[in-house]
């Protein structure tokens, strides 16, 4: 795949970037070099290599859900707040 001027302009438009002519030429050169380097992977014989889906042996750690009693009650926690209204903590509006 060859990266050309139109490809760079299309990518810039999709990314909502503006690209000067000099930047376009530089990006063409850089991206073509990157693609040439990555294309070397196509030359590697991997026919005898099994796919690796996960590098580490991992498994889920399951535990029973438990509701633990809290040391503080609602009134004590509300007493620590600056403002409260209707048994709830009042915070500044964030928009």
């Amino acid at each position: 795949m060859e990266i050309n001027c139109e490809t760079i302009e299309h990518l810039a438009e999709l990314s909502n970037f503006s690209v000067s002519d000099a930047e376009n030429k530089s990006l063409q050169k850089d991206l073509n070099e990157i693609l040439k380097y990555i294309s070397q992977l196509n030359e590697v014989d991997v026919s005898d290599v099994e796919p690796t889906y996960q590098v580490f042996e991992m498994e889920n750690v399951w535990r029973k859900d438990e509701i633990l009693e809290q040391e503080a009650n609602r009134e004590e926690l509300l007493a620590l707040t600056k403002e409260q209204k209707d048994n709830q903590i009042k915070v500044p509006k964030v928009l």
Side-chain angles (χ1 to χ4, degrees):
M1 175 180 183
E2 184 75 19
I3 302 293
N4 56 28
C5 180
E6 290 79 25
T7 305
I8 299 295
E9 288 172 0
H10 179 68
L11 291 172
E13 183 179 333
L14 290 174
S15 304
N16 202 24
F17 289 135
S18 61
V19 179
S20 68
D21 289 340
E23 291 171 324
N24 191 317
K25 290 190 184 303
S26 176
L27 285 169
Q28 283 181 58
K29 181 178 178 275
D30 291 344
L31 289 175
N32 280 317
E33 289 296 318
I34 290 169
L35 288 175
K36 189 184 340 176
Y37 180 75
I38 291 174
S39 70
Q40 294 175 8
L41 293 174
N42 291 332
E43 300 170 11
V44 178
D45 180 20
V46 293
S47 58
D48 295 330
V49 178
E50 286 191 40
T52 303
Y53 300 104
Q54 191 165 330
V55 179
F56 301 106
E57 291 295 325
M58 299 174 69
E59 61 184 62
N60 287 335
V61 178
W62 300 100
R63 64 174 174 79
K64 183 178 176 185
D65 285 338
E66 296 177 19
I67 299 175
L68 302 175
E69 290 294 323
Q70 300 295 315
E71 293 180 12
N73 61 34
R74 178 187 301 258
E75 290 76 25
E76 291 172 344
L77 293 174
L78 286 172
L80 298 174
T81 65
K82 289 183 181 181
E83 287 188 67
Q84 55 179 305
K85 181 180 179 181
D86 300 326
N87 278 335
Q88 297 178 5
I89 299 172
K90 188 172 180 184
V91 296
K93 186 183 284 189
V94 179
L95 297 176

